[in-house]
Amino acid sequence: MPTLAAEAHPETRPLAVDLASLPRIQGITISPDGQHIAYVVKETRLDPDARPSESDTSGGWKSEAQLWVVGRAGGAPRQLTRAEKPVGNPKWLPDSRAIAFVRANGNGRKIHILPLDGGEAEVLDVGELEFEDYEFAPDGRSIAFTATPPRTAAEKEATWRSGGVVDEGSRFRSSQLWVLERGGKTPRRVTPGQENVFAFRWSPDGRKFVVLTSPSAEPHDASMRHSARILSAVDGAVLRDLTREPRPHGFVAWSPDGRHVAVQSGKNTLSMLNALHVYEVDSGRSWDVADKLDATIASFAWSGDSRNLTLVVAERTGTKLVRVPAAGGSATQLGRTPRLLGPIGTTDRSGRWAATFSSSSTDLGAPTLVDLQTGALQVVASQSNRIAGWTIAKTEVVRWKNADGLEIEGLLTVSPHAGTGPAPLLVAPHGGPDDVSQDGFNPFVQYMAARGYSVLRPNYRGSFGYGQAFYAANRGRLGEVELADIESGVDSLIAAGRVDPQRLYYGGWSWGGYVTAWTIGHTRRYRAAMVGAGVVDVVAQYAGSDINHGDAAQWEFRGDPWKQPEEFADSNPLRWLSKVATPTLIAHGDEDSRVPPINGMLLYRALTDIGCEVRFHRYPREPHGFGEPAHQVHLWTTWAAWYAAH
């Protein structure tokens, strides 16, 4: 691999180890009385004293996850847990005097209830059940949770006698809903059916559940084919079916008065959630309160008086808050938020305050209080000290016209080392393709900017946040649409004198990897490329991916490869690989079920056969998104070095 004699600038922070060491804030939740916000901080640290060992796969990294709490007005956060075993999924008890969390304890995970004022934790043991999510009853006396039923003795023996043969059609076991009385020993099964229960909420009076189910736990069904219904909390009897046909759903929530249920869903989309139906529990009558918004709804919350809902909406590269009457009618814009908001996870009992995660392009994400009446935000546990000493690059929104005259926009992060002349450019398309690049803190972009690259993140047609028509515009035109929209943006930056046409680079992950593979098959103007967990053969992807078949293919390709092979052939990067001359780095996780690693091997084999410079790194144990810090550091340093060498 060729190397440059010298860097054009000194390397500045962040380094790859800085990125891997950043905290991950999870499970942000506000107490019912609105006085405290709890959250989990997961941290990883490189142990300087660690030495190689054949039995150790950590690469010298250690991690922990601890529970923290901070007052609504801010102040110094307080650490509640300190044990070595990590905690997760915190939930407040209804009286706000204690908080529960999940921790592995002996055999399996258990729920621990810790008094806020201190004392010993109460441990709830659900026996051999491996629970997934949980929620306390409104009176706090019992807990509902989802878990797959344990295998029977006959099932275990059959598996043993077959030597572990797997029946692909039945290997995913459906989760059911259970209830355990606090102090009890045996959970009571609520749902007796075969459907998979993946989300639920107690009714305010504790007598009913609203549940979201899928026909099975097969990943495609579990991600695409959802139904909503109301069940009796006593025996699981179906009291009312809310939805008529399976389709993707998001959040679901009871109104505080218990008379209505709001369900987030998609309308004329695959995964863009642009509808919010309110259902009258007694009659089943429903209406879409977001019908006139043409919005990508990230999450929502009820007001305390049950008369309004506040929506977090993804709008272009940012977010905004919108209030809509629960009975339907005109929306009130609370305005675009100054920071990028995550989903509203919980609200207090009054419906006034919500807790979430927020960030800006120059400030690390942190727990944030949202005033749902005014839209005001307050960061209550800043993480800014974690990026002290970094050279932070600024990001701006850029817009251009594609060949059809349609305005496209993206985010341009300008390298602090760019100076006043044209800079090297890294084009980094988002994944999905059902996603959007937004103006929050992006550690990888800051890492590349610190290495001297300005970074363009284009929101091509198919992205969220630009309305239903823009989102649907890439159907049956995958590859073609992304190439046209992105390349016109690069041309625009070159014409404006902002980037150097002789120093262009490309790289992306997942569908961003697909776009990279497609692009290097159609143009040779990029010096080097990186295809990370990218789709390279859309037919292999259809057959091997956990979710990219069935409804997903009907939306994206308007068919399936057995009946409409031409639709797949037209959008398949594989057919263009003989034209690739761009030096290409490939990275893929060995345990990736979303984009199977055969895609990486196909690209590697093709480029090897045609004599194109290529390198392929396979990462053991990694799924679609890498989690091991040693792998993350290797990936980021190798990625940057690949560009620097070309």
Side-chain angles (χ1 to χ4, degrees):
M1 182 169 67
T3 58
L4 298 179
E7 289 286 339
H9 59 83
E11 278 208 344
T12 55
R13 294 181 64 191
L15 306 177
V17 69
D18 292 327
L19 270 63
S21 302
L22 285 175
R24 301 182 198 175
I25 310 296
Q26 304 169 332
I28 302 172
T29 179
I30 191 168
S31 59
D33 65 8
Q35 297 303 306
H36 295 92
I37 294 171
Y39 55 97
V40 171
V41 179
K42 183 176 181 181
E43 298 195 69
T44 55
R45 298 182 181 89
L46 184 59
D47 181 1
D49 298 323
R51 294 294 178 266
S53 167
E54 291 186 2
S55 61
D56 179 18
T57 61
S58 71
W61 288 83
K62 293 183 177 181
S63 65
E64 66 174 31
Q66 304 293 355
L67 181 64
W68 292 73
V69 65
V70 64
R72 190 180 76 194
R78 179 161 57 102
Q79 186 174 342
L80 296 184
T81 60
R82 297 185 182 277
E84 182 178 346
K85 293 182 178 178
V87 306
N89 201 8
K91 307 263 188 177
W92 288 96
L93 270 70
D95 62 7
S96 302
R97 296 170 62 184
I99 188 166
F101 57 87
V102 175
R103 173 181 275 157
N105 186 4
N107 295 324
R109 301 183 306 151
K110 292 180 172 58
I111 298 170
H112 298 241
I113 302 175
L114 184 66
L116 194 60
D117 294 334
E120 291 295 321
E122 173 189 354
V123 180
L124 301 183
D125 190 345
V126 298
E128 62 179 322
L129 294 172
E130 286 290 336
F131 69 89
E132 293 141 3
D133 197 10
Y134 69 99
E135 185 176 82
F136 285 92
D139 62 8
R141 296 178 181 175
S142 57
I143 184 170
F145 62 95
T146 50
T148 57
R151 293 184 180 274
T152 64
E155 288 173 327
K156 292 177 181 177
E157 181 179 353
T159 298
W160 172 71
R161 290 195 177 278
S162 72
V165 171
V166 175
D167 182 345
E168 183 63 25
S170 60
R171 70 185 177 101
F172 297 102
R173 296 172 61 82
S174 292
S175 293
Q176 301 300 317
L177 185 61
W178 310 72
V179 170
L180 176 69
E181 303 297 327
R182 288 179 64 182
K185 298 296 184 183
T186 305
R188 169 174 57 87
R189 181 170 170 173
V190 177
T191 52
Q194 298 302 309
E195 286 194 322
N196 177 57
V197 180
F198 66 89
F200 67 93
R201 292 290 182 270
W202 288 94
S203 63
D205 62 8
R207 298 178 181 178
K208 299 179 285 292
F209 289 107
V210 59
V211 298
L212 294 180
T213 65
S214 57
S216 74
E218 190 272 329
H220 173 268
D221 278 354
S223 64
M224 301 281 182
R225 302 179 61 79
H226 305 158
S227 298
R229 54 180 53 98
I230 296 174
L231 309 180
S232 165
V234 176
D235 57 9
V238 177
L239 303 179
R240 185 168 300 282
D241 287 312
L242 298 180
T243 54
R244 293 190 178 92
E245 58 185 27
R247 58 181 173 180
H249 289 91
F251 288 86
V252 57
W254 289 87
S255 61
D257 62 12
R259 296 173 57 193
H260 297 89
V261 169
V263 182
Q264 179 190 18
S265 65
K267 181 172 59 179
N268 299 321
T269 75
L270 173 65
S271 58
M272 173 184 173
L273 299 179
N274 57 351
L276 182 59
H277 282 90
V278 172
Y279 293 87
E280 196 171 62
V281 173
D282 289 342
S283 68
R285 188 173 67 93
S286 69
W287 53 93
D288 180 7
V289 297
D291 186 46
K292 298 179 181 179
L293 292 179
D294 194 17
T296 303
I297 303 170
S299 61
F300 68 90
W302 284 94
S303 62
D305 60 8
S306 302
R307 297 174 61 183
N308 296 286
L309 298 112
T310 301
L311 285 52
V312 177
V313 171
E315 183 180 57
R316 305 175 79 91
T317 60
T319 50
K320 67 178 182 181
L321 292 169
V322 177
R323 183 184 300 124
V324 293
S330 299
T332 301
Q333 305 286 337
L334 297 183
R336 192 177 175 92
T337 60
R339 294 168 63 91
L340 187 68
L341 289 184
I344 294 175
T346 58
T347 65
D348 73 333
R349 195 177 293 111
S350 74
R352 170 74 183 272
W353 306 102
T356 187
F357 183 86
S358 77
S359 72
S360 74
S361 61
T362 57
D363 189 31
L364 194 61
T368 302
L369 181 73
V370 183
D371 186 332
L372 296 176
Q373 290 187 8
T374 67
L377 309 182
Q378 178 187 349
V379 175
V380 293
S382 175
Q383 304 294 310
S384 297
N385 64 308
R386 309 279 190 156
I387 57 175
W390 289 23
T391 302
I392 301 296
K394 294 183 178 180
T395 299
E396 62 186 87
V397 177
V398 292
R399 299 181 178 88
W400 63 90
K401 296 288 183 69
N402 66 9
D404 297 328
L406 180 67
E407 184 177 84
I408 308 295
E409 73 177 16
L411 295 169
L412 179 66
T413 302
V414 179
S415 172
H417 306 291
T420 58
L425 180 70
L426 166 58
V427 180
H430 65 68
D434 304 359
D435 204 345
V436 61
S437 289
Q438 292 187 296
D439 199 12
F441 194 82
N442 189 306
F444 174 73
V445 169
Q446 293 293 338
Y447 174 73
M448 284 300 184
R451 319 255 87 66
Y453 305 93
S454 290
V455 182
L456 175 65
R457 288 173 285 160
N459 284 333
Y460 52 81
R461 281 169 288 175
S463 301
F464 291 152
Y466 294 86
Q468 195 276 340
F470 190 94
Y471 164 76
N474 64 345
R475 292 192 67 193
R477 301 176 60 193
L478 299 171
E480 168 201 345
V481 161
E482 293 94 328
L483 184 71
D485 290 355
I486 296 171
E487 292 302 290
S488 60
V490 176
D491 290 340
S492 174
L493 292 174
I494 292 173
R498 304 199 65 181
V499 301
D500 184 349
Q502 301 304 313
R503 294 185 293 170
L504 302 177
Y505 304 85
Y506 214 105
W509 200 263
S510 191
W511 196 258
Y514 166 95
V515 177
T516 305
W518 180 272
T519 298
I520 60 178
H522 287 78
T523 179
R524 297 186 174 187
R525 71 171 172 175
Y526 295 96
R527 282 193 169 196
M530 208 297 285
V531 177
V535 177
V536 175
D537 184 351
V538 294
V539 177
Q541 177 70 5
Y542 181 98
S545 172
D546 58 351
I547 67 169
N548 292 132
H549 52 274
D551 293 343
Q554 293 293 331
W555 175 267
E556 293 175 343
F557 297 98
R558 299 183 184 274
D560 63 54
W562 333 122
K563 297 178 182 178
Q564 291 83 18
E566 68 285 350
E567 298 287 348
F568 285 75
D570 288 346
S571 293
N572 202 348
L574 189 69
R575 66 184 295 192
W576 303 100
L577 295 184
S578 65
K579 301 179 182 297
V580 175
T582 306
T584 301
L585 174 68
I586 306 167
H588 221 116
D590 277 349
E591 301 301 321
D592 192 340
S593 60
R594 186 60 41 88
V595 179
I598 184 61
N599 284 276
M601 183 56 72
L602 284 166
L603 180 58
Y604 177 67
R605 190 64 65 215
L607 299 193
T608 301
D609 287 350
I610 66 173
C612 180
E613 184 183 352
V614 62
R615 180 174 291 180
F616 183 18
H617 290 299
R618 293 172 49 185
Y619 292 82
R621 301 176 300 280
E622 291 291 6
H624 193 52
F626 286 10
E628 296 186 26
H631 290 162
Q632 293 169 341
V633 170
H634 182 274
L635 171 66
W636 294 323
T637 52
T638 305
W639 194 334
W642 185 257
Y643 292 158
H646 295 88

